[in-house]
Amino acid sequence: MLAIFEKKTTSVDLYRPLRNYIAFNYSDREAQNLEDDLQTLKQFRSDLERQPDPTPSARRDLLQNYFKALCLVETRFPISPDKDHINTVTFTWHDAFKQKQKASQQNIHLEKAAVLFNLGAVYSQIGLSYDRSTVDGRKLASHAFMGAAGAFAFLRDNASTKASIGSSTTVDISLECAGMLERLMLAQAQECVFENSIAKGSTPGVCAKISRQVGVYYEEALAALNVAPLNQHFEKAWISHVQLKAALFYAEACYRYSLELHEKEDIAEEIARLRSGVSALTEVKKSSKGASAQLLEAISKLEANLNRNLERAMKENDRVYLMRVPSPSSLPPLSAFSLVKPVAMNEVLDASREKMFASLVPDSSAKALSRYTEMADDIIRTQAEKLQQASELTRVRLKEMDLPESILALEGNFTLPTDLKEDVEAVQISGGPAGLEAELQQLRDLRRVNQEMLIQDRLNRFAANLKQAAESDGRIERSVREHSALMSILDRRPIESALPTLARPIMSLDANEDAVVGALKQSLRQLETLGAQRAGLEDMLKEMKRKDDILPKLMTSTGSYEDLFRKEISKYDHICEDIAQNIEAQEQLLLQIQAQNDDFSAIFNLEDYKASREKCYKQIQAAIAKFREIKENINEGLKFYVTLQDAITNVKQQCSDFVMTRSIQCREMIEDVQRQMAGLSFQDGKSTSAYNHNYASVGHQNQRSNSQQQADPRPQTPYYQPRELPTMPGYANPPPYSSPQPPLPPYQVPAASAGPYPPPQAQQQLPASHEYGQPAYPGWRGPYYNAHAQQHGSVPRPPYTIPAPYPPPHQSGYYQQQ
């Protein structure tokens, strides 16, 4: 068998020109960031120039990696004689079959074509290195030759034409030579398969077909060698070898097929096939000059076998069969069967997953990516809209038919509408109507506590407020009693137990209720399945878009972007077809459900049931509204009592401070009188004036008492510090204490707000001049309280916070303010 020698090249510096280009067109920093990639590319080229690597497999890997790197270089670095391009790089390669001939080009196409040629050559050398005397050796050799065929086919289809357009080129990388070498490598791969077929004892008919295909491949290679430009390019020994192999395997096929004919006793055709084989070998031996001795020996051995069988068949025909022997030219062609094919190099040499120079994105690739992204996004958006419209159509149509609620109602599995059920759950979580009694008790307890805290007659105005608050509490209690029957429905658990039921008809005319219900349920299950499929299809679209990374392919593509776009966009076609089928199936199913639901409604009298159900819904809504109204009134009462309690506590503290201050002043004045009486003199009236002078002001007395206390060993009150008081004569008037700070009138609801709580500024302390005794519950918005003029002012901050009975509006959509 034949192996191909690699093309030879001269040294080329890729590092410096490419680095300069990056620094000039991008930045020095970018060039520094890509230093590793540039060094890798430099090492690839340096290794390529050394002949050869220690092992063919290592050489094969080098060529594959270097070719992928060249694909990335091609899309990012314009190498050409143009002054704005990288014009200092020239690739030079010698012809593999006539090494005196060479080609030099300032473009990357010659480099890529030469690398592909050498890859095919290395594959052929790997195939020739295996021991073909063993079954495994022949299998490995066959795969290696198929790899060589794949490399030469890839050269022919992707690089030969571009490399041949340059200023100079060589024949070895031409379309004709690449095609010839592909056929030659396939012939040798099929030959290995034939050798294994003989070794394992395949039937003569099978061996004949495999052998014939070997001959066909050799004949195709020979045909290419016999025409320009290859007929003057290859040595005679090459052509002779291929010619002998073509004749050898044609004759081998005749020999193997004749064995099968002999078994069938088709002696006439057997003789004709044997004669045809002998004739082919006789003719080819005339041009066997330069052929290997091993090949000539194989021809001689086969020729002997053909002649021996021919002689035997002719004797049998003359003595027994007496059949007319047809001429070889009148025989139909022998059947051929190929068991080999070129290895697909598209995946082996795919550079789209390589990271080299990934940060350099040419403008053309970026624009192409944008176009493709828009195309993919448009497909996904259109299909997603179709899916959403189909789902919305299903929801609306089922809602119009009151499905599947009516089916669930018939089976006792009905439920409230979501918003109404959530309202009921919120009421039940807050305690429900039964919990109102506990909150009323809180009102009573707080009223009692506040009543006990009133300690002076001048605070009777607080008591008046408490009295009015008690009247308001009474009205709330009456409201709870009056509407307890209405709100009792909210205590039902589950709330669905309060709903009317859908029952079967008392009398049945044709007893087909179960069939109608069953058919409708089955259709609804099918509709649910379609809905689940739509969700899956939408997820598939999103996942496909997430994984759709076309940029590496754009970067390595050397053909038309439009062709690549069509190929990539076609990935979405099958999902689009599935979506269309899903929507069409849904439309048909909805029509079927509509007809089935009409029968169902007529049998089970759904109109009366729905009217009864809506009446129950309204009753639940009215109960919720009344519960909320009462709950808000109770909360206002709780806030009133808590705020009033704080105000009373403040007044108590002021009173305590006043009493303590007066006690201290009294003790100091008594001590002073005692001291003066000890040295009393009635000679003049200055003592009285002195007395009045000494006690002219509280501040003065305090100063003197403080000085006396420094020498007085008696314990003083440790927890009181008297406030700074204005000067006042004697005991004539009490000190000007500021008025106590009262709360807002009880249960006040600001008229400008629909909510039960005062505005934020209402939580500050009241001014000292605020008067108590305002009428309770001014501005009350319920039907149980008399309206009073609202007094302006702030409410003191209560000692603790009453938790809101309902979640705030931003937490749920159950109780939106109107």
Side-chain angles (χ1 to χ4, degrees):
M1 292 185 178
L2 297 177
I4 314 298
F5 291 108
E6 289 186 58
K7 291 168 64 67
K8 294 183 179 180
T9 185
T10 58
S11 298
V12 174
D13 178 21
L14 291 176
Y15 172 82
R16 185 56 54 188
L18 267 58
R19 196 184 193 287
N20 291 340
Y21 179 85
I22 297 171
F24 180 78
N25 290 279
Y26 294 90
S27 66
D28 289 331
R29 182 176 180 180
E30 188 69 31
Q32 183 63 36
N33 292 339
L34 294 174
E35 180 67 24
D36 290 343
D37 292 343
L38 291 168
Q39 289 291 347
T40 300
L41 182 67
K42 178 181 178 181
Q43 188 62 46
F44 282 161
R45 194 43 161 88
S46 177
D47 292 342
L48 184 71
E49 294 165 4
R50 292 187 291 108
Q51 293 283 336
D53 279 321
T55 62
S57 59
R59 188 72 174 177
R60 175 200 60 201
D61 295 340
L62 168 65
L63 291 165
Q64 290 175 352
N65 292 331
Y66 182 52
F67 182 82
K68 288 186 281 188
L70 290 176
C71 291
L72 300 175
V73 169
E74 180 181 10
T75 59
R76 293 165 171 83
F77 301 99
I79 300 176
S80 78
D82 193 299
K83 64 177 182 179
D84 295 327
H85 292 176
I86 301 174
N87 53 21
T88 59
V89 174
T90 301
F91 298 104
T92 301
W93 286 89
H94 295 266
D95 193 291
F97 305 104
K98 291 186 178 294
Q99 295 196 8
K100 291 183 179 180
Q101 298 180 7
K102 64 179 180 179
S104 297
Q105 295 184 17
Q106 286 180 285
N107 64 60
I108 206 166
H109 303 309
L110 176 62
E111 183 85 347
K112 291 177 66 178
V115 170
L116 287 174
F117 182 94
N118 283 0
L119 180 61
V122 169
Y123 267 114
S124 72
Q125 295 167 20
I126 293 174
L128 206 61
S129 67
Y130 290 114
D131 180 9
R132 290 192 295 115
S133 64
T134 65
V135 173
D136 290 339
R138 288 189 290 267
K139 286 182 179 179
L140 292 173
S142 178
H143 286 299
F145 288 131
M146 284 190 281
F152 289 123
F154 195 84
L155 167 63
R156 178 196 62 206
D157 297 336
N158 297 277
S160 290
T161 302
K162 295 178 182 178
S164 299
I165 298 176
S167 56
S168 65
T169 186
T170 53
V171 175
D172 56 352
I173 59 173
S174 65
L175 286 170
E176 295 81 4
C177 188
M180 182 274 294
L181 292 175
E182 177 205 7
R183 298 287 99 182
L184 177 61
M185 294 299 112
L186 288 177
Q188 297 187 154
Q190 182 86 0
E191 186 176 348
C192 294
V193 174
F194 172 74
E195 291 172 349
N196 264 345
S197 299
I198 296 298
K200 68 180 182 181
S202 298
T203 63
V206 171
C207 292
K209 291 179 180 179
I210 296 175
S211 175
R212 182 67 193 110
Q213 185 62 55
V214 178
V216 169
Y217 283 140
Y218 276 118
E219 290 168 6
E220 291 173 347
L222 180 62
L225 285 169
N226 286 328
V227 296
L230 305 183
N231 58 345
Q232 301 298 325
H233 195 72
F234 284 86
E235 297 176 356
K236 294 297 182 180
W238 257 77
I239 299 176
S240 177
H241 177 88
V242 175
Q243 187 175 8
L244 288 173
K245 279 292 186 82
L248 173 64
F249 282 96
Y250 171 76
E252 186 74 43
C254 291
Y255 173 71
R256 299 293 170 179
Y257 187 55
S258 70
L259 296 178
E260 184 178 51
L261 292 173
H262 188 78
E263 293 176 359
K264 296 178 180 179
E265 297 186 354
D266 190 351
I267 301 300
E269 185 176 352
E270 178 188 359
I271 294 172
R273 294 295 181 185
L274 290 170
R275 286 176 176 174
S276 180
V278 170
S279 175
L281 292 180
T282 302
E283 184 66 26
V284 78
K285 285 195 297 183
K286 298 177 182 179
S287 57
S288 60
K289 185 179 179 180
S292 66
Q294 185 180 6
L295 179 55
L296 293 175
E297 182 181 355
I299 290 176
S300 298
K301 183 178 179 179
L302 177 58
E303 186 178 19
N305 290 335
L306 286 168
N307 284 325
R308 183 182 63 252
N309 286 3
L310 176 59
E311 182 179 354
R312 182 194 62 186
M314 291 177 65
K315 288 180 180 180
E316 291 179 358
N317 188 47
D318 291 341
R319 296 174 182 176
V320 180
Y321 299 102
L322 301 176
M323 292 182 180
R324 187 178 66 84
V325 178
S327 64
S329 60
S330 65
L331 296 176
L334 289 171
S335 298
F337 183 65
S338 177
L339 292 177
V340 297
K341 63 179 180 179
V343 172
M345 287 291 168
N346 289 315
E347 295 184 4
V348 176
L349 301 176
D350 181 17
S352 61
R353 292 184 292 271
E354 300 297 318
K355 303 302 182 183
M356 183 180 288
F357 305 119
S359 61
L360 298 182
V361 180
D363 186 59
S364 60
S365 296
K367 291 180 179 178
L369 175 63
S370 177
R371 286 177 53 207
Y372 176 78
T373 302
E374 290 177 1
M375 293 167 63
D377 289 344
D378 184 63
I379 290 176
I380 293 174
R381 181 172 54 254
T382 302
Q383 298 303 318
E385 289 175 355
K386 289 181 180 179
L387 291 172
Q388 292 172 1
Q389 290 172 359
S391 298
E392 182 64 17
L393 175 63
T394 299
R395 188 190 67 79
V396 172
R397 294 288 299 279
L398 291 180
K399 185 69 175 177
E400 292 173 351
M401 293 183 278
D402 202 32
L403 291 172
E405 285 79 6
S406 57
I407 294 290
L408 296 175
L410 179 64
E411 298 174 347
N413 295 326
F414 44 80
T415 182
L416 285 180
T418 302
D419 54 348
L420 188 57
K421 184 174 178 64
E422 290 173 346
D423 284 353
V424 172
E425 289 175 352
V427 170
Q428 292 176 345
I429 289 172
S430 67
L436 294 177
E437 179 60 33
E439 297 191 4
L440 288 174
Q441 185 60 42
Q442 280 187 291
L443 290 179
R444 300 186 193 104
D445 293 342
L446 287 171
R447 183 173 70 247
R448 176 177 51 77
V449 170
N450 283 314
Q451 182 70 47
E452 292 173 355
M453 293 176 66
L454 294 176
I455 58 174
Q456 292 187 7
D457 291 341
R458 75 186 187 90
L459 300 179
N460 284 337
R461 284 170 292 183
F462 281 103
N465 278 351
L466 281 173
K467 182 178 180 181
Q468 280 192 320
E471 294 174 358
S472 298
D473 296 346
R475 285 191 285 272
I476 295 177
E477 293 177 3
R478 287 195 299 274
S479 178
V480 172
R481 290 193 299 271
E482 291 170 359
H483 297 93
S484 60
L486 171 65
M487 294 186 295
S488 63
I489 194 172
L490 299 178
D491 288 326
R492 301 282 290 272
R493 294 177 184 270
I495 188 62
E496 286 78 13
S497 62
L499 298 177
T501 59
L502 178 63
R504 296 177 177 273
I506 299 175
M507 295 184 63
S508 175
L509 297 179
D510 51 8
N512 67 338
E513 295 90 349
D514 290 339
V516 171
V517 174
L520 184 54
K521 290 169 65 177
Q522 177 65 23
S523 298
L524 290 174
R525 284 193 291 269
Q526 294 175 3
L527 192 63
E528 184 178 356
T529 300
L530 289 176
Q533 290 175 356
R534 284 197 300 276
L537 290 171
E538 188 168 3
D539 291 341
M540 288 175 62
L541 277 175
K542 293 177 181 178
E543 182 65 14
M544 182 173 289
K545 178 60 172 65
R546 186 183 68 82
K547 295 181 177 179
D548 193 0
D549 185 12
I550 195 179
L551 181 58
K553 296 179 182 179
L554 288 171
M555 300 289 289
T556 57
S557 174
T558 56
S560 171
Y561 284 149
E562 298 300 328
D563 294 338
L564 181 60
F565 288 169
R566 283 193 294 270
K567 179 181 178 181
E568 293 297 318
I569 285 294
S570 64
K571 297 184 301 187
Y572 296 92
D573 290 347
H574 70 282
I575 296 183
C576 296
E577 292 174 0
D578 292 343
I579 290 173
Q581 293 174 2
N582 181 283
I583 295 174
E584 183 179 357
Q586 175 186 286
E587 293 174 353
Q588 297 297 326
L589 191 56
L590 284 174
L591 294 175
Q592 177 180 320
I593 290 174
Q594 181 67 63
Q596 293 171 340
N597 190 63
D598 292 342
D599 296 340
F600 178 80
S601 300
I603 292 174
F604 291 92
N605 195 13
L606 283 184
E607 294 301 323
D608 291 347
Y609 165 74
K610 288 193 285 188
S612 175
R613 185 183 62 190
E614 290 300 322
K615 181 179 179 182
C616 186
Y617 288 169
K618 292 180 180 178
Q619 181 182 355
I620 293 174
Q621 291 170 342
I624 291 173
K626 182 54 66 179
F627 174 86
R628 288 177 176 170
E629 178 185 327
I630 295 174
K631 184 77 172 177
E632 289 175 2
N633 290 343
I634 290 176
N635 289 338
E636 289 297 332
L638 293 173
K639 287 195 294 185
F640 165 76
Y641 285 124
V642 170
T643 305
L644 182 61
Q645 190 178 55
D646 191 37
I648 293 173
T649 300
N650 187 34
V651 172
K652 285 176 63 179
Q653 183 62 47
Q654 291 179 1
C655 292
S656 177
D657 292 348
F658 181 82
V659 171
M660 184 171 289
T661 302
R662 283 293 180 263
S663 296
I664 293 173
Q665 290 175 341
C666 178
R667 185 171 64 250
E668 292 174 348
M669 294 173 71
I670 291 174
E671 292 173 352
D672 193 26
V673 168
Q674 290 174 348
R675 286 193 300 271
Q676 296 231 4
M677 289 182 66
L680 181 64
S681 174
F682 295 98
Q683 295 177 359
D684 52 39
K686 292 182 180 180
S687 61
T688 303
S689 62
Y691 172 83
N692 291 334
H693 176 73
N694 290 336
Y695 297 93
S697 68
V698 175
H700 183 74
Q701 293 294 336
N702 286 342
Q703 293 173 3
R704 188 163 63 182
S705 65
N706 289 338
S707 65
Q708 292 175 357
Q709 287 175 359
Q710 294 176 0
D712 193 347
R714 291 176 297 175
Q716 302 298 319
T717 303
Y719 54 83
Y720 172 72
Q721 294 295 332
R723 300 183 181 181
E724 183 179 348
L725 302 175
T727 303
M728 59 181 180
Y731 297 97
N733 294 307
Y737 284 90
S738 61
S739 300
Q741 299 179 6
L744 279 176
Y747 293 47
Q748 177 173 352
V749 179
S753 173
Y757 309 108
Q761 64 269 20
Q763 300 301 320
Q764 305 301 323
Q765 289 287 345
L766 290 172
S769 62
H770 186 82
E771 292 296 331
Y772 300 91
Q774 303 284 349
Y777 297 82
W780 191 252
R781 61 189 178 87
Y784 314 107
Y785 305 102
N786 298 323
H788 298 281
Q790 182 175 349
Q791 299 295 324
H792 296 286
S794 303
V795 179
R797 183 182 59 81
Y800 58 87
T801 304
I802 299 296
Y806 304 105
H810 68 271
Q811 292 184 2
S812 70
Y814 303 155
Y815 310 118
Q816 298 293 340
Q817 294 185 354
Q818 302 297 323

